[in-house]
Amino acid sequence: MNVMSQPHETAQRIRRNWMAVNDEVRRAAAAAGRDPESVRVIGVSKYVDAATTEMLFDAGCSDLGESRPQVLWQKAEAIAPAVSADPNRRLRWHMIGHVQTNKLRRMLRFDPLIHSVDSERLLRAIDQEAGRQQRVAEVLLEVNISGDESKTGLSPEAVGRLLEISDLNAVRVVGLMAMAGWGTESAEAANQFRSVAELRDHLVESAGCALPELSMGMSGDFREAIAAGATMVRIGSALFKGVI
Ligand SMILES: *Cc1c(COP(=O)(O)O)cnc(C)c1O
């Protein structure tokens, strides 16, 4: 997968990509009249192996996202020594893909933020396993805002229903996650992201909960997402340009 011959060149390329993406994210935040510190870049490392993922951490990225639980825990184990070697750094893992409940036990040990909760069954399974491990798991509810049948995620009504469940003890819903529909033009993506932000505002009022995080925007549409209020953008291919 890595077409570059020298690990050193790969590391340099990733470092340059990381700085360029951060510049663009900060510029997009400033253009939207927002504090650049209010947008966090989640480096989506699903395209590369653990050694290359570690290069992104070394470049300064402290939030890594994976779409498969078993890859998340394998990489978390592989990179842990580099993380603990630097007392000034912490690493947060983000689970951005489909989660099977039988993967929760191993995955929750790494305290990931789970962006992709798309059913009551999964929410309750996370609550149960986090309780067993004496943790509080932070999650986002994934909303299908495009109405695209091929997309995963909850309808806006279903999100509201999950927020009303009152017997959860070890799981904390901290926001919403969304993806624009496939092949969406940027104006339409901007509309969809604005609807997610409006849904959040509505839920905060009606359910009386705090939902500070909005995870939306990828390499192709993070500017629109930031303009609409994203606090987390999930960026993969732009960070590994020239590497994958
Ligand atoms: C792969 C993936 C991303 C990153 O997409 P890029 O276009 O490579 O930036 C973001 N979010 C989810 C859920 C993904 O699966």
Side-chain angles (χ1 to χ4, degrees):
M1 206 151 43
N2 184 349
V3 296
M4 290 200 175
S5 48
Q6 297 292 329
H8 176 69
E9 286 172 33
T10 305
Q12 280 199 328
R13 182 72 210 244
I14 288 174
R15 198 171 285 274
R16 282 203 306 275
N17 290 345
W18 169 249
M19 291 193 293
V21 164
N22 271 279
D23 274 356
E24 285 202 61
V25 164
R26 276 195 289 269
R27 266 204 297 272
R34 300 182 52 200
D35 176 4
E37 298 298 314
S38 66
V39 186
R40 185 172 283 268
V41 177
I42 314 302
V44 176
S45 50
K46 67 185 181 189
Y47 304 109
V48 299
D49 61 15
T52 313
T53 301
E54 188 172 318
M55 292 175 186
L56 183 58
F57 172 75
D58 288 340
C61 179
S62 299
D63 291 271
L64 293 172
E66 282 291 332
S67 55
R68 294 172 57 207
Q70 56 273 51
V71 178
L72 186 149
W73 75 58
Q74 281 161 8
K75 284 187 179 176
E77 278 161 11
I79 295 174
V83 178
S84 45
D86 186 343
N88 299 314
R89 297 285 307 278
R90 290 194 57 199
L91 174 58
R92 176 129 212 222
W93 285 94
H94 297 256
M95 181 64 223
I96 63 172
H98 181 67
V99 180
Q100 304 95 320
T101 54
N102 65 355
K103 301 291 195 309
L104 285 173
R105 190 178 56 80
R106 270 190 90 169
M107 192 180 69
L108 287 181
R109 298 196 347 245
F110 298 98
D111 270 329
L113 174 63
I114 304 175
H115 293 226
S116 42
V117 172
D118 58 359
S119 70
E120 178 173 342
R121 186 174 107 86
L122 177 57
L123 187 65
R124 289 194 179 279
I126 294 170
D127 183 52
Q128 210 169 49
E129 183 54 39
R132 203 174 286 143
Q133 296 187 19
Q134 299 186 307
R135 306 171 183 283
V136 174
E138 289 193 327
V139 306
L140 307 177
L141 300 180
E142 182 178 351
V143 52
N144 180 347
I145 206 74
S146 65
D148 190 335
E149 288 288 319
S150 65
K151 281 270 187 252
T152 53
L154 300 151
S155 67
E157 296 73 32
V159 170
R161 283 196 295 275
L162 290 203
L163 287 173
E164 278 169 10
I165 299 176
S166 55
D167 60 340
L168 301 171
N169 302 307
V171 69
R172 205 154 70 86
V173 180
V174 296
L176 305 179
M177 184 271 234
M179 278 186 267
W182 276 118
T184 305
E185 297 286 329
S186 67
E188 176 54 21
N191 276 333
Q192 292 178 5
F193 294 142
R194 278 194 295 270
S195 325
V196 177
E198 281 165 19
L199 173 65
R200 186 272 304 274
D201 295 347
H202 167 76
L203 292 166
V204 166
E205 263 188 38
S206 63
C209 47
L211 297 170
E213 305 292 352
L214 286 179
S215 165
M216 50 191 197
M218 322 202 298
S219 294
D221 56 16
F222 66 86
R223 294 165 197 82
E224 290 83 357
I226 290 169
T231 61
M232 297 181 180
V233 289
R234 306 178 310 272
I235 307 224
S237 32
L239 290 173
F240 295 106
K241 200 157 53 175
V243 175
I244 50 172

